[in-house]
Amino acid sequence: MVYGQRIATALACGVVLSCAAAALVSEADAQARPDTRKMTCAQAQALVKQRGEVVMTTGANTFERFISSARYCYSRTPLTVPSYAPTKDNKQCPVGKRCRQSRRFTD
């Protein structure tokens, strides 16, 4: 019976440690991506300008990749358009740009 209690205790400790590790990883993941809603418009713009490209949280379940110039686009004919996100001081802050592929029309 004592042996069985030791196994149960060891398993319980393993589960607790696993849950604690998972919580730490989840918290680290959440902190890894900057949140535009916690910055001023100027701070968000400065971060994009400084890094060149950055993925930021823009809402409860949304995120977006912002770039500073077309050199961060992956297509052959990179075009950029302004990209907006909510910040502490601006509901539609022009945080940076996003890539857009060109549309070629043929007759």
Side-chain angles (χ1 to χ4, degrees):
M1 191 85 166
V2 172
Y3 181 73
Q5 289 175 339
R6 286 183 185 167
I7 291 175
T9 301
L11 288 173
C13 287
V15 169
V16 169
L17 290 175
S18 295
C19 290
L24 289 174
V25 169
S26 296
E27 187 176 322
D29 287 344
Q31 292 176 354
R33 189 168 45 222
D35 190 332
T36 60
R37 299 166 300 164
K38 295 180 180 178
M39 300 181 214
T40 64
C41 187
Q43 288 171 329
Q45 291 169 335
L47 185 61
V48 173
K49 187 175 181 180
Q50 175 192 14
R51 293 188 184 176
E53 67 177 333
V54 61
V55 176
M56 292 193 266
T57 297
T58 57
N61 299 308
T62 58
F63 62 91
E64 188 165 339
R65 178 177 174 256
F66 298 94
I67 60 170
S68 60
S69 69
R71 72 182 251 202
Y72 295 99
C73 295
Y74 302 122
S75 66
R76 287 186 184 176
T77 54
L79 297 174
T80 61
V81 293
S83 190
Y84 302 87
T87 58
K88 276 199 297 191
D89 60 344
N90 188 341
K91 289 183 180 182
Q92 252 191 330
C93 171
V95 174
K97 301 174 184 178
R98 64 180 171 86
C99 300
R100 179 176 171 205
Q101 291 188 1
S102 64
R103 295 182 187 182
R104 295 188 181 175
F105 298 100
T106 57
D107 289 330

